[in-house]
Amino acid sequence: MKKIGIDLDNTILSCKLLIYKLIDKFQIVNNSDNSYTQIDKNAETETFLNKLTIFNPNVYIAFPNAIETINYLYSKGIEIHLISSRPNILPIIDLTINWLNKNNVLYNKLILGCSNKAEYVVANQLDLMIDDNLKTCKS
C-alpha cells in the first residue's frame, strides 16, 4: 500500500483568511519543538466559531476534482494523510473536521499543527507529499 501526504490550505481548498495566518504564526513562535497533533476523525465537533462567516472555512469550496481525486486514491487502498500547519487548537480542529465531513473527504489521518511536514513525511514513511509550497515538496 502506498502512503500519500496532502496539504489542506491552497492545495485542496483556497484559504486566505488573515486570522489563520496570524494564529499559524503565533503557533510557530510558541511551538519550537515541531510537535503536531493527530486528530481523531470521529471527534465531536461544535463550537460557536462554526456559526461565524468571517472565520469559517466551511464556506470555502474545494478546488475542482480535488476531493474526487483524494477519494479515488483512498478507494484504491492508498493511505491518505491530510497534513497541515493549521493550528491544532480546538476551534480550528472543529472547523477542519466539519469541513472534511461536510465535503465527504475520505482520509486515514488528519495531522494539524505540523510545522515541519518533511520531517513528518520521513518519520511516517510516506511515498509522496502534495503541497502548494515547493520548498516543502523538495524537502
Side-chain angles (χ1 to χ4, degrees):
M1 175 177 12
K2 298 282 184 187
K3 295 193 244 181
I4 297 177
I6 305 172
D7 180 39
L8 290 174
D9 300 318
N10 299 317
T11 304
I12 297 175
L13 69 143
S14 177
C15 185
K16 298 180 180 178
L17 287 179
L18 178 60
I19 191 78
Y20 267 156
K21 292 178 183 181
L22 292 174
I23 292 173
D24 194 38
K25 295 294 181 200
F26 175 79
Q27 175 172 280
I28 289 169
V29 167
N30 290 294
N31 190 9
S32 59
D33 65 352
N34 290 329
S35 64
Y36 53 83
T37 303
Q38 181 174 322
I39 308 302
D40 177 6
K41 65 184 189 179
N42 297 316
E44 293 293 323
T45 62
E46 187 58 45
T47 68
F48 73 95
L49 290 175
N50 289 333
K51 297 171 180 56
L52 300 178
T53 56
I54 193 168
F55 187 62
N56 192 342
N58 292 320
V59 300
Y60 293 150
I61 297 172
F63 290 125
N65 301 314
I67 294 172
E68 295 83 357
T69 302
I70 292 168
N71 290 349
Y72 173 78
L73 294 171
Y74 181 92
S75 75
K76 294 298 182 185
I78 294 175
E79 190 173 307
I80 304 294
H81 294 231
L82 300 178
I83 308 167
S84 179
S85 61
R86 254 183 207 200
N88 55 352
I89 58 174
L90 190 58
I92 304 300
I93 292 168
D94 288 349
L95 292 169
T96 302
I97 291 172
N98 284 340
W99 189 90
L100 293 168
N101 289 341
K102 176 183 169 190
N103 289 280
N104 301 311
V105 179
L106 302 176
Y107 61 94
N108 299 93
K109 294 183 180 181
L110 173 61
I111 308 299
L112 296 182
C114 189
S115 58
N116 188 335
K117 295 176 192 173
E119 184 178 287
Y120 177 88
V121 167
V122 170
N124 290 275
Q125 300 177 332
L126 302 187
D127 298 296
L128 176 67
M129 179 66 195
I130 300 170
D131 198 295
D132 63 308
N133 186 325
L134 182 59
K135 182 180 176 184
T136 298
C137 295
K138 285 183 175 182
S139 295

